[in-house]
Amino acid sequence: MTVQIIADSACDLPASVMDEYGIKRLSLTVHLDDQDYKDGETIQPKEVYDAMRNGKAPKTSQVSPQSFKELFENLAKEGQDCLYLAFSSELSGTYQTAKMMQQEVQDDYPDFNLNVVDTHCASLGHGLVVLRAVQLAKEGKSLDEITELSTYHLQHMEHIFTVDDLEYLKRGGRISKAAAFFGTMLKIKPLLHVENGQLIPLEKIRGAKKVLKRMTEVMEERGVDLSDQPIAISHGDDLERAEKLADMIRDQFGTKEIHIHQVGASVGAHAGPGTIALFFLNAPYK
């Protein structure tokens, strides 16, 4: 590849996919039972979801400065142009840490071409941006060209998702206590989206069965060329519902390429088991 693509584990692409495409991976940390684990390496999503179902409250922390510095230095020594696509800065400090380490390494290796981009995305919304970037790299596009097209994708990436229990998002500070209490008391299933990198409540839907249908309705309202763009569905240990949503989308829009993967350990520690998330572009695919 002309450009090395780097992503962190919050993109929720499995290790097998990262390896297949030659994407360099940096793992966030999951704290559980007084132990630290590397997301997707020393702990898998299923372990986190089972722990949460048993009343435990895992925490997460960003990619360490040392991890960034070691990777960036190694790539600088190889003279490799690089693009790091980071988890939303509104949900993690990972992007800011990467920018600090970028400056340090480029001070020592002034010819090192590294772009660090805040995707303002999470889970497979982030993952779809990463996959498009690596496809462009394999086509021989330049660092600036890949950065420009990746920026287009991240700016137009829709995140529509629902969670089984708002308590998990409350614990992680992702929504207010009042919002969590309101949703739980009324047995409401929330529909949320991402706006400027932040999790924002979109609608409150009474009854779990209506949620998937409403997700496809929002997709129709916001999406463009839905039959011809790749979309993604991530799930919190609920493959059955994820596949049901995929079937609904294929039937309604004729979508040809649908990626289905689990919400990873670091994102899942906040969203919780039963999460279903849908990602697509609200502009033409480029």
Side-chain angles (χ1 to χ4, degrees):
M1 293 186 293
T2 52
V3 176
Q4 176 63 60
I5 306 302
I6 308 166
D8 52 70
S9 61
C11 73
D12 287 350
L13 294 173
S16 59
V17 173
M18 303 281 265
D19 292 342
E20 177 186 350
Y21 286 97
I23 302 162
K24 296 289 186 185
R25 174 193 178 96
L26 291 154
S27 289
L28 281 78
T29 298
V30 177
H31 311 279
L32 179 65
D33 292 333
D34 298 321
Q35 297 288 323
D36 288 347
Y37 301 93
K38 293 295 184 184
D39 178 13
E41 295 180 34
T42 57
I43 194 168
Q44 298 303 319
K46 174 71 170 165
E47 298 171 71
V48 172
Y49 296 129
D50 286 346
M52 295 175 83
R53 290 183 179 111
N54 290 325
K56 295 180 180 178
K59 305 292 184 185
T60 61
S61 59
Q62 63 185 276
V63 177
S64 71
Q66 188 60 30
S67 294
F68 278 119
K69 190 167 185 179
E70 287 177 3
L71 178 59
F72 291 168
E73 282 183 337
N74 288 338
L75 292 167
K77 290 172 185 175
E78 295 172 6
Q80 174 73 64
D81 288 358
C82 301
L83 171 61
Y84 169 51
L85 294 163
F87 185 25
S88 173
S89 62
E90 296 293 333
L91 301 173
S92 170
T94 294
Y95 167 73
Q96 288 87 349
T97 300
K99 291 295 289 183
M100 288 189 293
M101 293 303 103
Q102 175 191 24
Q103 186 62 57
E104 280 195 23
V105 173
Q106 288 182 322
D107 285 345
D108 294 333
Y109 299 88
D111 294 329
F112 180 36
N113 293 320
L114 167 67
N115 287 352
V116 175
V117 174
D118 179 0
T119 66
H120 299 288
C121 295
S123 190
L124 288 180
H126 181 187
L128 285 176
V129 176
V130 172
L131 287 177
R132 185 62 184 130
V134 78
Q135 289 165 357
L136 293 165
K138 287 183 178 295
E139 292 170 11
K141 302 293 186 185
S142 70
L143 176 58
D144 287 344
E145 288 174 316
I146 298 170
T147 302
E148 180 181 352
L149 274 170
S150 296
T151 300
Y152 171 86
H153 276 251
L154 67 89
Q155 288 174 338
H156 294 287
M157 188 63 65
E158 292 281 354
H159 301 56
I160 307 298
F161 68 103
T162 186
V163 295
D164 252 6
D165 192 339
L166 285 164
E167 175 67 21
Y168 299 125
L169 289 174
K170 186 203 79 174
R171 287 178 192 167
R174 298 308 190 260
I175 60 168
S176 71
K177 292 180 181 179
F181 178 77
F182 178 71
T184 302
M185 287 298 290
L186 296 181
K187 302 298 182 185
I188 283 172
K189 292 297 178 186
L191 203 61
L192 303 97
H193 69 151
V194 170
E195 190 174 290
N196 298 320
Q198 294 181 304
L199 305 187
I200 306 293
L202 185 61
E203 298 176 8
K204 300 180 182 73
I205 299 170
R206 195 179 298 277
K209 291 183 179 178
K210 298 178 181 177
V211 174
L212 296 187
K213 184 174 186 298
R214 183 58 188 144
M215 290 175 82
T216 64
E217 290 171 352
V218 173
M219 188 178 188
E220 184 173 24
E221 292 164 7
R222 298 187 178 189
V224 173
D225 298 333
L226 292 170
S227 63
D228 297 322
Q229 61 161 290
I231 73 148
I233 298 168
S234 59
H235 64 93
D237 198 24
D238 195 347
L239 180 59
E240 184 178 348
R241 275 211 305 162
E243 290 181 336
K244 181 178 180 181
L245 178 59
D247 287 341
M248 292 168 69
I249 290 167
R250 289 188 192 99
D251 290 345
Q252 187 167 347
F253 306 113
T255 305
K256 302 174 189 70
E257 184 179 346
I258 302 179
H259 301 266
I260 302 176
H261 300 298
Q262 281 209 82
V263 180
S266 58
V267 176
H270 298 284
T275 297
I276 298 289
L278 172 63
F279 309 93
F280 57 92
L281 292 176
N282 60 20
Y285 184 78
K286 291 185 180 181

